[in-house]
Amino acid sequence: MKPREIKNNIYCVGAIDWDRRLFDSLIPLPDGTSYNSYLIKGSEKTALIETVDPSLQDVLFRNLEQLDIDRIDYVIANHAEQDHSGTLPMVLEKFPMAKLICTPKCQELLTEHLLIAKDRFKTVADKETIALGGRTLEFIYAPWVHWPETMVTYLQEEKILFSCDFFGSHLATTDMYVTDEGQVYEAAKRYFAEIMMPFRAPIQNNLEKIKNYKIDIIAPSHGPMHNKPEFIIKAYHSWVYDAPGNIVVLPYISMHGSTRRMVAHLVEALSRRGVTVKEFDLAVTDIGKLAMALVDAATIVIGAPTVHAGPHPNIMYAAFLANALRPKVKFASIIGSYGWGGKTVEIIAAAIPNLKVEIIPPVLCKGFPKEADFTALDTLAETIAEKHKAAGLV
Ligand code: FEO
């Protein structure tokens, strides 16, 4: 993809990664991603905002060559993670006059992660500006979206917010701007769920902070740009402020069908009581889908068979993930089958201390579920429905 002009002398010069299917060796990327980099020319100075993942550095350099860029004065690093910063050392080598602009915290991280020499940096304070000649960049601290050092950059004259991960989506597309809001909503929510959900409070602060800026375009560092910024700002508002919905998320594993039979019964019982259920078989599920479902859920019920006297390892993986993501869930429970005994409930409960939830009594059964177990599952469904109602979630 050649450099594309956003406005006169403002270009997209980043790279589309159509083939990437896993991020941070953890997060599934069903639709690829992009590493957006932006070049802004003023009448006196030229700035590059972000670089790209090192695997696609040739794309960035080819784009700069096509624009005949022989001088960059400022390289702006909003965020130190390597998918944006990884090509910084090569860019700084190619443009020896360029100053690297970032927050002091980001300087510390870039020094540690990329071994960049101290004399290449110019750190900026919150709301500090740099003039390019007819164009002014304002740097707005935006910590914890999702690292502590992050800022966003606002181009005052054109009212463009370069937001890095904030408002971004892992989506490979040739469209410069959002064209399919449904598709981008899903990709942005997946990204929010996987890396930003634990930081809802700082994100609320950051939304407040940018509230009074007039923004015509949001230019994130992943996915298409937003020329109708209210769409993505409204989505973020809903993810960080809204109460959870009348929704149960039910991740489970079943080894021989007993836990699966319990899950099927509970799903039916909850559904009959008007509760939406999102069921995930952890043997095959995309954990991004599970993370997205947790954004809006009021309750998590974990379906866990017992192996070697404890929960199945895949269950512990999901419990660890849910604990790390700190969703807004208010209630939790456990169901499952065991062979002869074990400490499944105790081990799972100990793995989720970050979830500030009320534990609803679990339903465990020996072997295949029987009449009394189905009755206990009905009681669990009734309790969940009542608690959702009492919390005003329906
Ligand atoms: Fe896209 Fe936090 O890096």
Side-chain angles (χ1 to χ4, degrees):
M1 186 65 65
K2 289 183 174 173
R4 289 174 296 173
E5 196 171 53
I6 304 170
K7 305 246 179 189
N8 185 35
N9 281 329
I10 304 176
Y11 299 92
C12 300
V13 291
I16 301 172
D17 196 340
W18 295 97
D19 302 325
R20 192 155 184 180
R21 286 293 173 270
L22 199 60
F23 195 72
D24 290 346
S25 297
L26 169 69
I27 298 166
L29 299 182
D31 302 308
T33 190
S34 65
Y35 317 109
N36 302 343
S37 173
Y38 301 96
L39 188 90
I40 305 171
K41 286 169 129 181
S43 60
E44 292 164 20
K45 306 278 188 191
T46 297
L48 181 72
I49 299 188
E50 317 290 8
T51 65
V52 297
D53 190 87
S55 58
L56 291 175
Q57 60 177 283
D58 57 315
V59 178
L60 172 64
F61 285 116
R62 207 164 45 238
N63 284 339
L64 295 175
E65 270 167 31
Q66 288 186 32
L67 291 171
D68 287 327
I69 301 300
D70 55 11
R71 182 188 170 97
I72 288 176
D73 300 281
Y74 302 116
V75 182
I76 317 297
N78 285 320
H79 175 33
E81 195 169 7
Q82 289 89 335
D83 50 323
H84 312 289
S85 68
T87 303
L88 278 174
M90 298 65 130
V91 168
L92 294 174
E93 190 181 334
K94 189 170 171 63
F95 299 97
M97 302 302 290
K99 276 287 175 199
L100 179 51
I101 309 290
C102 63
T103 65
K105 186 82 189 163
C106 189
Q107 176 186 9
E108 185 192 317
L109 292 177
L110 289 173
T111 306
E112 293 287 347
H113 288 275
L114 295 167
L115 312 178
I116 295 173
K118 244 187 172 156
D119 62 357
R120 299 305 305 265
F121 288 93
K122 173 181 163 38
T123 60
V124 287
D126 191 19
K127 309 280 183 78
E128 190 172 331
T129 59
I130 282 181
L132 303 179
R135 285 183 161 143
T136 315
L137 296 176
E138 179 178 347
F139 307 106
I140 306 165
Y141 283 19
W144 294 113
V145 289
H146 56 124
W147 281 21
E149 85 305 5
T150 314
M151 65 180 190
V152 296
T153 298
Y154 181 64
L155 178 57
Q156 291 180 343
E157 291 75 9
E158 274 82 8
K159 301 178 178 51
I160 303 176
L161 185 74
F162 297 93
S163 60
C164 202
D165 284 340
F166 203 17
F167 305 125
S169 53
H170 282 307
L171 182 61
T173 170
T174 54
D175 297 335
M176 265 182 39
Y177 295 102
V178 173
T179 50
D180 180 341
E181 286 194 346
Q183 186 189 31
V184 173
Y185 183 92
E186 169 109 1
K189 186 174 185 181
R190 171 186 285 268
Y191 196 31
F192 169 86
E194 288 161 339
I195 66 166
M196 294 183 209
M197 184 154 56
F199 309 111
R200 286 190 299 280
I203 289 173
Q204 289 174 1
N205 294 338
N206 292 325
L207 287 171
E208 276 300 302
K209 208 164 171 186
I210 62 162
K211 187 173 74 179
N212 294 324
Y213 286 81
K214 170 91 178 78
I215 299 169
D216 288 344
I217 295 172
I218 291 179
S221 295
H222 297 292
M225 293 185 290
H226 300 273
N227 54 2
K228 295 176 188 153
E230 60 283 357
F231 153 67
I232 193 68
I233 291 173
K234 197 171 155 201
Y236 264 73
H237 266 265
S238 126
W239 300 332
V240 299
Y241 283 110
D242 286 0
N246 181 23
I247 299 168
V248 170
V249 167
L250 208 170
Y252 77 98
I253 279 278
S254 189
M255 296 159 66
H256 299 292
S258 302
T259 299
R260 180 175 288 114
R261 182 69 189 85
M262 295 175 78
V263 166
H265 189 92
L266 182 63
V267 169
E268 168 72 21
L270 285 164
S271 173
R272 266 190 281 115
R273 289 165 174 82
V275 180
T276 298
V277 190
K278 298 182 180 176
E279 175 189 318
F280 298 92
D281 178 353
L282 294 174
V284 294
T285 205
D286 164 350
I287 59 159
K289 288 270 187 193
L290 172 61
M292 267 191 282
L294 287 169
V295 172
D296 311 308
T299 296
I300 181 168
V301 177
I302 296 174
T306 296
V307 191
H308 303 314
H312 190 286
N314 286 24
I315 289 294
M316 291 310 287
Y317 179 82
F320 186 85
L321 183 71
N323 187 60
L325 295 180
R326 301 172 189 236
K328 305 182 241 192
V329 286
K330 292 174 173 294
F331 310 102
S333 193
I334 298 164
I335 64 171
S337 161
Y338 58 91
W340 58 89
K343 293 193 178 309
T344 290
V345 168
E346 293 89 329
I347 294 169
I348 295 173
I352 51 173
N354 290 342
L355 302 187
K356 303 300 174 212
V357 288
E358 176 185 338
I359 302 282
I360 301 174
V363 179
L364 261 70
C365 75
K366 192 170 186 177
F368 198 78
K370 300 153 193 82
E371 206 47 49
D373 305 310
F374 292 126
T375 303
L377 290 169
D378 287 334
T379 304
L380 175 60
E382 187 64 29
T383 308
I384 291 170
E386 279 172 8
K387 290 202 178 281
H388 284 197
K389 204 169 178 181
L393 305 179
V394 290

